[in-house]
PDB file of all heavy atoms in Angstrom:
ATOM      1  N   GLN M 298     -29.582  22.624  10.897  1.00  0.00           N
ATOM      2  CA  GLN M 298     -30.896  22.148  10.486  1.00  0.00           C
ATOM      3  C   GLN M 298     -30.917  20.636  10.343  1.00  0.00           C
ATOM      4  O   GLN M 298     -29.877  19.986  10.307  1.00  0.00           O
ATOM      5  CB  GLN M 298     -31.329  22.812   9.172  1.00  0.00           C
ATOM      6  CG  GLN M 298     -30.678  22.244   7.925  1.00  0.00           C
ATOM      7  CD  GLN M 298     -29.361  22.875   7.570  1.00  0.00           C
ATOM      8  OE1 GLN M 298     -28.661  23.374   8.442  1.00  0.00           O
ATOM      9  NE2 GLN M 298     -29.002  22.846   6.307  1.00  0.00           N
ATOM     10  N   ALA M 299     -32.110  20.076  10.251  1.00  0.00           N
ATOM     11  CA  ALA M 299     -32.240  18.640  10.026  1.00  0.00           C
ATOM     12  C   ALA M 299     -31.894  18.306   8.578  1.00  0.00           C
ATOM     13  O   ALA M 299     -32.210  19.056   7.654  1.00  0.00           O
ATOM     14  CB  ALA M 299     -33.659  18.178  10.348  1.00  0.00           C
ATOM     15  N   ILE M 300     -31.233  17.178   8.413  1.00  0.00           N
ATOM     16  CA  ILE M 300     -30.894  16.665   7.076  1.00  0.00           C
ATOM     17  C   ILE M 300     -31.419  15.234   6.970  1.00  0.00           C
ATOM     18  O   ILE M 300     -31.835  14.645   7.972  1.00  0.00           O
ATOM     19  CB  ILE M 300     -29.378  16.764   6.792  1.00  0.00           C
ATOM     20  CG1 ILE M 300     -28.545  16.252   7.978  1.00  0.00           C
ATOM     21  CG2 ILE M 300     -28.979  18.216   6.556  1.00  0.00           C
ATOM     22  CD1 ILE M 300     -28.401  14.785   8.041  1.00  0.00           C
ATOM     23  N   ASP M 301     -31.413  14.669   5.765  1.00  0.00           N
ATOM     24  CA  ASP M 301     -32.065  13.375   5.611  1.00  0.00           C
ATOM     25  C   ASP M 301     -31.298  12.460   4.671  1.00  0.00           C
ATOM     26  O   ASP M 301     -30.433  12.886   3.900  1.00  0.00           O
ATOM     27  CB  ASP M 301     -33.491  13.569   5.086  1.00  0.00           C
ATOM     28  CG  ASP M 301     -33.531  14.204   3.705  1.00  0.00           C
ATOM     29  OD1 ASP M 301     -33.563  15.445   3.605  1.00  0.00           O
ATOM     30  OD2 ASP M 301     -33.536  13.447   2.713  1.00  0.00           O
ATOM     31  N   PHE M 302     -31.662  11.186   4.762  1.00  0.00           N
ATOM     32  CA  PHE M 302     -31.179  10.153   3.850  1.00  0.00           C
ATOM     33  C   PHE M 302     -32.384   9.463   3.230  1.00  0.00           C
ATOM     34  O   PHE M 302     -33.440   9.353   3.861  1.00  0.00           O
ATOM     35  CB  PHE M 302     -30.320   9.120   4.591  1.00  0.00           C
ATOM     36  CG  PHE M 302     -29.062   9.685   5.173  1.00  0.00           C
ATOM     37  CD1 PHE M 302     -28.977   9.979   6.526  1.00  0.00           C
ATOM     38  CD2 PHE M 302     -27.954   9.914   4.372  1.00  0.00           C
ATOM     39  CE1 PHE M 302     -27.820  10.497   7.071  1.00  0.00           C
ATOM     40  CE2 PHE M 302     -26.786  10.433   4.907  1.00  0.00           C
ATOM     41  CZ  PHE M 302     -26.718  10.726   6.263  1.00  0.00           C
ATOM     42  N   LYS M 303     -32.195   8.981   2.003  1.00  0.00           N
ATOM     43  CA  LYS M 303     -33.290   8.309   1.330  1.00  0.00           C
ATOM     44  C   LYS M 303     -32.762   7.169   0.460  1.00  0.00           C
ATOM     45  O   LYS M 303     -31.696   7.272  -0.147  1.00  0.00           O
ATOM     46  CB  LYS M 303     -34.103   9.288   0.472  1.00  0.00           C
ATOM     47  CG  LYS M 303     -33.292  10.064  -0.559  1.00  0.00           C
ATOM     48  CD  LYS M 303     -34.191  10.929  -1.456  1.00  0.00           C
ATOM     49  CE  LYS M 303     -34.821  12.060  -0.715  1.00  0.00           C
ATOM     50  NZ  LYS M 303     -33.860  13.145  -0.406  1.00  0.00           N
ATOM     51  N   HIS M 307     -28.102   4.982   0.245  1.00  0.00           N
ATOM     52  CA  HIS M 307     -27.687   5.678   1.462  1.00  0.00           C
ATOM     53  C   HIS M 307     -27.681   4.708   2.645  1.00  0.00           C
ATOM     54  O   HIS M 307     -26.728   4.678   3.435  1.00  0.00           O
ATOM     55  CB  HIS M 307     -28.625   6.845   1.766  1.00  0.00           C
ATOM     56  CG  HIS M 307     -28.602   7.915   0.745  1.00  0.00           C
ATOM     57  ND1 HIS M 307     -29.464   9.003   0.771  1.00  0.00           N
ATOM     58  CD2 HIS M 307     -27.820   8.099  -0.360  1.00  0.00           C
ATOM     59  CE1 HIS M 307     -29.219   9.784  -0.260  1.00  0.00           C
ATOM     60  NE2 HIS M 307     -28.225   9.255  -0.959  1.00  0.00           N
ATOM     61  N   ASP M 346     -42.742  13.682   3.627  1.00  0.00           N
ATOM     62  CA  ASP M 346     -42.143  12.570   2.890  1.00  0.00           C
ATOM     63  C   ASP M 346     -41.170  13.075   1.832  1.00  0.00           C
ATOM     64  O   ASP M 346     -40.208  12.389   1.483  1.00  0.00           O
ATOM     65  CB  ASP M 346     -43.232  11.726   2.218  1.00  0.00           C
ATOM     66  CG  ASP M 346     -44.111  11.007   3.217  1.00  0.00           C
ATOM     67  OD1 ASP M 346     -43.644  10.784   4.347  1.00  0.00           O
ATOM     68  OD2 ASP M 346     -45.261  10.683   2.866  1.00  0.00           O
ATOM     69  N   PHE M 347     -41.440  14.281   1.314  1.00  0.00           N
ATOM     70  CA  PHE M 347     -40.562  14.888   0.314  1.00  0.00           C
ATOM     71  C   PHE M 347     -39.353  15.541   0.975  1.00  0.00           C
ATOM     72  O   PHE M 347     -38.219  15.393   0.517  1.00  0.00           O
ATOM     73  CB  PHE M 347     -41.336  15.924  -0.492  1.00  0.00           C
ATOM     74  CG  PHE M 347     -40.492  16.708  -1.456  1.00  0.00           C
ATOM     75  CD1 PHE M 347     -39.970  16.113  -2.591  1.00  0.00           C
ATOM     76  CD2 PHE M 347     -40.219  18.045  -1.228  1.00  0.00           C
ATOM     77  CE1 PHE M 347     -39.179  16.838  -3.477  1.00  0.00           C
ATOM     78  CE2 PHE M 347     -39.442  18.778  -2.108  1.00  0.00           C
ATOM     79  CZ  PHE M 347     -38.921  18.172  -3.239  1.00  0.00           C
ATOM     80  N   THR M 348     -39.579  16.250   2.076  1.00  0.00           N
ATOM     81  CA  THR M 348     -38.497  17.007   2.700  1.00  0.00           C
ATOM     82  C   THR M 348     -37.657  16.185   3.659  1.00  0.00           C
ATOM     83  O   THR M 348     -36.521  16.555   3.955  1.00  0.00           O
ATOM     84  CB  THR M 348     -39.070  18.215   3.469  1.00  0.00           C
ATOM     85  OG1 THR M 348     -39.955  17.741   4.508  1.00  0.00           O
ATOM     86  CG2 THR M 348     -39.844  19.137   2.534  1.00  0.00           C
ATOM     87  N   GLY M 349     -38.189  15.052   4.150  1.00  0.00           N
ATOM     88  CA  GLY M 349     -37.498  14.324   5.201  1.00  0.00           C
ATOM     89  C   GLY M 349     -36.927  12.984   4.816  1.00  0.00           C
ATOM     90  O   GLY M 349     -36.280  12.327   5.643  1.00  0.00           O
ATOM     91  N   GLY M 350     -37.124  12.530   3.579  1.00  0.00           N
ATOM     92  CA  GLY M 350     -36.563  11.256   3.152  1.00  0.00           C
ATOM     93  C   GLY M 350     -37.036  10.085   3.994  1.00  0.00           C
ATOM     94  O   GLY M 350     -38.127  10.106   4.563  1.00  0.00           O
ATOM     95  N   ASP M 351     -36.195   9.042   4.082  1.00  0.00           N
ATOM     96  CA  ASP M 351     -36.517   7.865   4.887  1.00  0.00           C
ATOM     97  C   ASP M 351     -36.210   8.080   6.361  1.00  0.00           C
ATOM     98  O   ASP M 351     -36.853   7.495   7.236  1.00  0.00           O
ATOM     99  CB  ASP M 351     -35.727   6.650   4.391  1.00  0.00           C
ATOM    100  CG  ASP M 351     -36.125   6.248   2.981  1.00  0.00           C
ATOM    101  OD1 ASP M 351     -37.266   6.561   2.578  1.00  0.00           O
ATOM    102  OD2 ASP M 351     -35.299   5.645   2.276  1.00  0.00           O
ATOM    103  N   VAL M 352     -35.192   8.882   6.639  1.00  0.00           N
ATOM    104  CA  VAL M 352     -34.839   9.187   8.021  1.00  0.00           C
ATOM    105  C   VAL M 352     -34.243  10.588   8.053  1.00  0.00           C
ATOM    106  O   VAL M 352     -33.451  10.962   7.181  1.00  0.00           O
ATOM    107  CB  VAL M 352     -33.850   8.152   8.604  1.00  0.00           C
ATOM    108  CG1 VAL M 352     -32.564   8.098   7.786  1.00  0.00           C
ATOM    109  CG2 VAL M 352     -33.552   8.436  10.061  1.00  0.00           C
ATOM    110  N   ARG M 356     -28.262  17.890  11.836  1.00  0.00           N
ATOM    111  CA  ARG M 356     -26.897  17.832  11.308  1.00  0.00           C
ATOM    112  C   ARG M 356     -25.878  17.672  12.436  1.00  0.00           C
ATOM    113  O   ARG M 356     -24.913  16.906  12.320  1.00  0.00           O
ATOM    114  CB  ARG M 356     -26.600  19.095  10.500  1.00  0.00           C
ATOM    115  CG  ARG M 356     -25.178  19.172   9.964  1.00  0.00           C
ATOM    116  CD  ARG M 356     -24.982  20.373   9.073  1.00  0.00           C
ATOM    117  NE  ARG M 356     -25.709  20.214   7.822  1.00  0.00           N
ATOM    118  CZ  ARG M 356     -25.243  19.570   6.762  1.00  0.00           C
ATOM    119  NH1 ARG M 356     -24.052  18.984   6.826  1.00  0.00           N
ATOM    120  NH2 ARG M 356     -25.949  19.492   5.663  1.00  0.00           N
ATOM    121  N   LYS M 469     -36.989  20.876  10.881  1.00  0.00           N
ATOM    122  CA  LYS M 469     -35.748  21.384  10.310  1.00  0.00           C
ATOM    123  C   LYS M 469     -35.019  22.314  11.267  1.00  0.00           C
ATOM    124  O   LYS M 469     -33.815  22.215  11.465  1.00  0.00           O
ATOM    125  CB  LYS M 469     -36.041  22.121   9.000  1.00  0.00           C
ATOM    126  CG  LYS M 469     -36.565  21.231   7.875  1.00  0.00           C
ATOM    127  CD  LYS M 469     -35.536  20.232   7.410  1.00  0.00           C
ATOM    128  CE  LYS M 469     -36.009  19.435   6.209  1.00  0.00           C
ATOM    129  NZ  LYS M 469     -35.067  18.359   5.837  1.00  0.00           N
ATOM    130  N   MET M 524     -27.192  30.664  -1.337  1.00  0.00           N
ATOM    131  CA  MET M 524     -27.493  29.388  -1.965  1.00  0.00           C
ATOM    132  C   MET M 524     -26.661  29.310  -3.235  1.00  0.00           C
ATOM    133  O   MET M 524     -26.744  30.178  -4.105  1.00  0.00           O
ATOM    134  CB  MET M 524     -28.987  29.282  -2.261  1.00  0.00           C
ATOM    135  CG  MET M 524     -29.837  29.296  -0.995  1.00  0.00           C
ATOM    136  SD  MET M 524     -31.601  29.083  -1.308  1.00  0.00           S
ATOM    137  CE  MET M 524     -31.612  27.411  -1.972  1.00  0.00           C
ATOM    138  N   ASP M 542     -19.931  18.653  -0.248  1.00  0.00           N
ATOM    139  CA  ASP M 542     -20.332  19.937  -0.822  1.00  0.00           C
ATOM    140  C   ASP M 542     -19.181  20.667  -1.490  1.00  0.00           C
ATOM    141  O   ASP M 542     -19.397  21.467  -2.403  1.00  0.00           O
ATOM    142  CB  ASP M 542     -20.942  20.833   0.257  1.00  0.00           C
ATOM    143  CG  ASP M 542     -22.378  20.454   0.590  1.00  0.00           C
ATOM    144  OD1 ASP M 542     -22.950  19.620  -0.129  1.00  0.00           O
ATOM    145  OD2 ASP M 542     -22.926  20.993   1.568  1.00  0.00           O
ATOM    146  N   TYR M 545     -19.539  18.799  -5.005  1.00  0.00           N
ATOM    147  CA  TYR M 545     -20.811  18.726  -5.739  1.00  0.00           C
ATOM    148  C   TYR M 545     -21.972  19.274  -4.925  1.00  0.00           C
ATOM    149  O   TYR M 545     -23.070  18.713  -4.916  1.00  0.00           O
ATOM    150  CB  TYR M 545     -21.114  17.279  -6.182  1.00  0.00           C
ATOM    151  CG  TYR M 545     -20.391  16.190  -5.414  1.00  0.00           C
ATOM    152  CD1 TYR M 545     -20.822  15.765  -4.158  1.00  0.00           C
ATOM    153  CD2 TYR M 545     -19.241  15.606  -5.953  1.00  0.00           C
ATOM    154  CE1 TYR M 545     -20.147  14.769  -3.468  1.00  0.00           C
ATOM    155  CE2 TYR M 545     -18.562  14.611  -5.258  1.00  0.00           C
ATOM    156  CZ  TYR M 545     -19.012  14.193  -4.023  1.00  0.00           C
ATOM    157  OH  TYR M 545     -18.336  13.220  -3.332  1.00  0.00           O
ATOM    158  N   GLY M 546     -21.742  20.376  -4.240  1.00  0.00           N
ATOM    159  CA  GLY M 546     -22.789  20.971  -3.420  1.00  0.00           C
ATOM    160  C   GLY M 546     -23.833  21.700  -4.245  1.00  0.00           C
ATOM    161  O   GLY M 546     -23.546  22.299  -5.280  1.00  0.00           O
ATOM    162  N   ASN M 547     -25.073  21.642  -3.778  1.00  0.00           N
ATOM    163  CA  ASN M 547     -26.180  22.442  -4.311  1.00  0.00           C
ATOM    164  C   ASN M 547     -27.088  22.740  -3.126  1.00  0.00           C
ATOM    165  O   ASN M 547     -27.859  21.896  -2.686  1.00  0.00           O
ATOM    166  CB  ASN M 547     -26.937  21.685  -5.402  1.00  0.00           C
ATOM    167  CG  ASN M 547     -28.004  22.543  -6.063  1.00  0.00           C
ATOM    168  OD1 ASN M 547     -28.158  23.725  -5.761  1.00  0.00           O
ATOM    169  ND2 ASN M 547     -28.761  21.954  -6.969  1.00  0.00           N
ATOM    170  N   THR M 548     -26.997  23.943  -2.589  1.00  0.00           N
ATOM    171  CA  THR M 548     -27.625  24.292  -1.325  1.00  0.00           C
ATOM    172  C   THR M 548     -29.112  23.974  -1.306  1.00  0.00           C
ATOM    173  O   THR M 548     -29.860  24.393  -2.197  1.00  0.00           O
ATOM    174  CB  THR M 548     -27.436  25.788  -1.033  1.00  0.00           C
ATOM    175  OG1 THR M 548     -26.058  26.123  -1.187  1.00  0.00           O
ATOM    176  CG2 THR M 548     -27.884  26.115   0.381  1.00  0.00           C
ATOM    177  N   LEU M 549     -29.533  23.238  -0.268  1.00  0.00           N
ATOM    178  CA  LEU M 549     -30.933  22.836  -0.058  1.00  0.00           C
ATOM    179  C   LEU M 549     -31.475  22.041  -1.244  1.00  0.00           C
ATOM    180  O   LEU M 549     -32.692  21.975  -1.445  1.00  0.00           O
ATOM    181  CB  LEU M 549     -31.827  24.052   0.205  1.00  0.00           C
ATOM    182  CG  LEU M 549     -31.493  24.909   1.429  1.00  0.00           C
ATOM    183  CD1 LEU M 549     -32.547  25.994   1.624  1.00  0.00           C
ATOM    184  CD2 LEU M 549     -31.365  24.068   2.682  1.00  0.00           C
ATOM    185  N   GLY M 550     -30.580  21.419  -2.009  1.00  0.00           N
ATOM    186  CA  GLY M 550     -31.012  20.642  -3.171  1.00  0.00           C
ATOM    187  C   GLY M 550     -31.598  19.288  -2.821  1.00  0.00           C
ATOM    188  O   GLY M 550     -32.165  18.617  -3.681  1.00  0.00           O
ATOM    189  N   GLY M 551     -31.436  18.856  -1.557  1.00  0.00           N
ATOM    190  CA  GLY M 551     -32.077  17.641  -1.114  1.00  0.00           C
ATOM    191  C   GLY M 551     -31.230  16.391  -1.165  1.00  0.00           C
ATOM    192  O   GLY M 551     -31.656  15.333  -0.711  1.00  0.00           O
ATOM    193  N   PHE M 552     -30.002  16.477  -1.714  1.00  0.00           N
ATOM    194  CA  PHE M 552     -29.180  15.282  -1.848  1.00  0.00           C
ATOM    195  C   PHE M 552     -27.791  15.439  -1.237  1.00  0.00           C
ATOM    196  O   PHE M 552     -26.982  14.518  -1.304  1.00  0.00           O
ATOM    197  CB  PHE M 552     -29.019  14.909  -3.327  1.00  0.00           C
ATOM    198  CG  PHE M 552     -30.298  14.521  -4.006  1.00  0.00           C
ATOM    199  CD1 PHE M 552     -31.011  15.453  -4.741  1.00  0.00           C
ATOM    200  CD2 PHE M 552     -30.798  13.233  -3.896  1.00  0.00           C
ATOM    201  CE1 PHE M 552     -32.199  15.097  -5.374  1.00  0.00           C
ATOM    202  CE2 PHE M 552     -31.983  12.872  -4.517  1.00  0.00           C
ATOM    203  CZ  PHE M 552     -32.690  13.804  -5.260  1.00  0.00           C
ATOM    204  N   GLY M 553     -27.499  16.581  -0.645  1.00  0.00           N
ATOM    205  CA  GLY M 553     -26.131  16.880  -0.243  1.00  0.00           C
ATOM    206  C   GLY M 553     -25.540  15.916   0.762  1.00  0.00           C
ATOM    207  O   GLY M 553     -24.395  15.465   0.611  1.00  0.00           O
ATOM    208  N   THR M 554     -26.285  15.561   1.812  1.00  0.00           N
ATOM    209  CA  THR M 554     -25.737  14.686   2.843  1.00  0.00           C
ATOM    210  C   THR M 554     -25.529  13.281   2.308  1.00  0.00           C
ATOM    211  O   THR M 554     -24.520  12.630   2.598  1.00  0.00           O
ATOM    212  CB  THR M 554     -26.669  14.662   4.060  1.00  0.00           C
ATOM    213  OG1 THR M 554     -26.979  16.005   4.444  1.00  0.00           O
ATOM    214  CG2 THR M 554     -26.011  13.956   5.229  1.00  0.00           C
ATOM    215  N   GLY M 555     -26.480  12.794   1.513  1.00  0.00           N
ATOM    216  CA  GLY M 555     -26.324  11.486   0.896  1.00  0.00           C
ATOM    217  C   GLY M 555     -25.130  11.436  -0.039  1.00  0.00           C
ATOM    218  O   GLY M 555     -24.357  10.464  -0.046  1.00  0.00           O
ATOM    219  N   LEU M 556     -24.950  12.485  -0.845  1.00  0.00           N
ATOM    220  CA  LEU M 556     -23.790  12.546  -1.727  1.00  0.00           C
ATOM    221  C   LEU M 556     -22.487  12.544  -0.935  1.00  0.00           C
ATOM    222  O   LEU M 556     -21.495  11.944  -1.343  1.00  0.00           O
ATOM    223  CB  LEU M 556     -23.857  13.802  -2.600  1.00  0.00           C
ATOM    224  CG  LEU M 556     -24.777  13.753  -3.810  1.00  0.00           C
ATOM    225  CD1 LEU M 556     -24.924  15.136  -4.423  1.00  0.00           C
ATOM    226  CD2 LEU M 556     -24.246  12.777  -4.858  1.00  0.00           C
ATOM    227  N   TYR M 589     -23.146  10.164 -10.663  1.00  0.00           N
ATOM    228  CA  TYR M 589     -24.084  10.118  -9.538  1.00  0.00           C
ATOM    229  C   TYR M 589     -24.428  11.514  -9.037  1.00  0.00           C
ATOM    230  O   TYR M 589     -25.571  11.784  -8.660  1.00  0.00           O
ATOM    231  CB  TYR M 589     -23.477   9.277  -8.414  1.00  0.00           C
ATOM    232  CG  TYR M 589     -24.411   9.053  -7.248  1.00  0.00           C
ATOM    233  CD1 TYR M 589     -25.708   8.572  -7.434  1.00  0.00           C
ATOM    234  CD2 TYR M 589     -24.007   9.311  -5.942  1.00  0.00           C
ATOM    235  CE1 TYR M 589     -26.560   8.353  -6.367  1.00  0.00           C
ATOM    236  CE2 TYR M 589     -24.842   9.088  -4.865  1.00  0.00           C
ATOM    237  CZ  TYR M 589     -26.122   8.608  -5.081  1.00  0.00           C
ATOM    238  OH  TYR M 589     -26.969   8.401  -4.015  1.00  0.00           O
ATOM    239  N   ILE M 592     -27.605  13.931  -9.665  1.00  0.00           N
ATOM    240  CA  ILE M 592     -28.886  13.971  -8.973  1.00  0.00           C
ATOM    241  C   ILE M 592     -29.111  15.315  -8.300  1.00  0.00           C
ATOM    242  O   ILE M 592     -30.252  15.715  -8.068  1.00  0.00           O
ATOM    243  CB  ILE M 592     -29.012  12.837  -7.931  1.00  0.00           C
ATOM    244  CG1 ILE M 592     -27.975  12.978  -6.811  1.00  0.00           C
ATOM    245  CG2 ILE M 592     -28.910  11.477  -8.591  1.00  0.00           C
ATOM    246  CD1 ILE M 592     -28.153  11.963  -5.699  1.00  0.00           C
ATOM    247  N   ALA M 593     -27.997  16.018  -7.960  1.00  0.00           N
ATOM    248  CA  ALA M 593     -28.158  17.351  -7.380  1.00  0.00           C
ATOM    249  C   ALA M 593     -28.725  18.322  -8.401  1.00  0.00           C
ATOM    250  O   ALA M 593     -29.362  19.314  -8.051  1.00  0.00           O
ATOM    251  CB  ALA M 593     -26.811  17.861  -6.859  1.00  0.00           C
ATOM    252  N   GLY M 594     -28.496  18.028  -9.681  1.00  0.00           N
ATOM    253  CA  GLY M 594     -29.133  18.748 -10.776  1.00  0.00           C
ATOM    254  C   GLY M 594     -28.781  20.214 -10.848  1.00  0.00           C
ATOM    255  O   GLY M 594     -27.893  20.721 -10.177  1.00  0.00           O
ATOM    256  N   SER M 596     -31.284  22.395 -10.408  1.00  0.00           N
ATOM    257  CA  SER M 596     -32.449  23.011  -9.797  1.00  0.00           C
ATOM    258  C   SER M 596     -32.037  23.998  -8.709  1.00  0.00           C
ATOM    259  O   SER M 596     -30.943  23.913  -8.148  1.00  0.00           O
ATOM    260  CB  SER M 596     -33.354  21.937  -9.193  1.00  0.00           C
ATOM    261  OG  SER M 596     -32.660  21.230  -8.180  1.00  0.00           O
ATOM    262  N   SER M 597     -32.923  24.926  -8.415  1.00  0.00           N
ATOM    263  CA  SER M 597     -32.702  25.879  -7.337  1.00  0.00           C
ATOM    264  C   SER M 597     -33.884  25.821  -6.391  1.00  0.00           C
ATOM    265  O   SER M 597     -35.014  26.179  -6.763  1.00  0.00           O
ATOM    266  CB  SER M 597     -32.544  27.298  -7.884  1.00  0.00           C
ATOM    267  OG  SER M 597     -32.594  28.240  -6.829  1.00  0.00           O
ATOM    268  N   ALA M 598     -33.647  25.372  -5.169  1.00  0.00           N
ATOM    269  CA  ALA M 598     -34.714  25.328  -4.177  1.00  0.00           C
ATOM    270  C   ALA M 598     -35.233  26.728  -3.871  1.00  0.00           C
ATOM    271  O   ALA M 598     -36.399  26.895  -3.500  1.00  0.00           O
ATOM    272  CB  ALA M 598     -34.201  24.663  -2.898  1.00  0.00           C
ATOM    273  N   LEU M 602     -39.121  27.586  -3.469  1.00  0.00           N
ATOM    274  CA  LEU M 602     -39.653  27.904  -2.148  1.00  0.00           C
ATOM    275  C   LEU M 602     -39.980  29.377  -1.971  1.00  0.00           C
ATOM    276  O   LEU M 602     -40.885  29.719  -1.202  1.00  0.00           O
ATOM    277  CB  LEU M 602     -38.650  27.464  -1.074  1.00  0.00           C
ATOM    278  CG  LEU M 602     -38.428  25.956  -0.959  1.00  0.00           C
ATOM    279  CD1 LEU M 602     -37.282  25.660  -0.011  1.00  0.00           C
ATOM    280  CD2 LEU M 602     -39.698  25.256  -0.504  1.00  0.00           C
ATOM    281  N   GLY M 629     -37.124  11.725  -7.079  1.00  0.00           N
ATOM    282  CA  GLY M 629     -36.027  11.951  -6.152  1.00  0.00           C
ATOM    283  C   GLY M 629     -35.587  10.680  -5.462  1.00  0.00           C
ATOM    284  O   GLY M 629     -34.398  10.418  -5.285  1.00  0.00           O
ATOM    285  N   ASP M 630     -36.549   9.849  -5.075  1.00  0.00           N
ATOM    286  CA  ASP M 630     -36.220   8.576  -4.435  1.00  0.00           C
ATOM    287  C   ASP M 630     -35.445   7.667  -5.389  1.00  0.00           C
ATOM    288  O   ASP M 630     -34.475   7.011  -4.996  1.00  0.00           O
ATOM    289  CB  ASP M 630     -37.494   7.873  -3.973  1.00  0.00           C
ATOM    290  CG  ASP M 630     -38.199   8.629  -2.853  1.00  0.00           C
ATOM    291  OD1 ASP M 630     -37.542   9.481  -2.222  1.00  0.00           O
ATOM    292  OD2 ASP M 630     -39.393   8.377  -2.626  1.00  0.00           O
ATOM    293  N   ALA M 632     -33.631   8.625  -8.019  1.00  0.00           N
ATOM    294  CA  ALA M 632     -32.331   9.214  -8.332  1.00  0.00           C
ATOM    295  C   ALA M 632     -31.309   8.931  -7.243  1.00  0.00           C
ATOM    296  O   ALA M 632     -30.119   8.739  -7.518  1.00  0.00           O
ATOM    297  CB  ALA M 632     -32.480  10.720  -8.544  1.00  0.00           C
ATOM    298  N   ALA M 633     -31.747   8.892  -5.983  1.00  0.00           N
ATOM    299  CA  ALA M 633     -30.832   8.642  -4.877  1.00  0.00           C
ATOM    300  C   ALA M 633     -30.200   7.260  -4.959  1.00  0.00           C
ATOM    301  O   ALA M 633     -29.140   7.015  -4.369  1.00  0.00           O
ATOM    302  CB  ALA M 633     -31.559   8.806  -3.545  1.00  0.00           C
TER     303      ALA M 633
END
Side-chain angles (χ1 to χ4, degrees):
Q298 78 273 27
I300 46 81
D301 63 271
F302 296 101
K303 56 175 68 74
H307 296 174
D346 293 336
F347 174 71
T348 61
D351 295 335
V352 59
R356 177 175 290 275
K469 294 294 185 186
M524 296 183 65
D542 282 351
Y545 21 79
N547 186 3
T548 310
L549 300 185
F552 296 96
T554 310
L556 281 170
Y589 185 51
I592 64 174
S596 61
S597 168
L602 294 172
D630 294 342

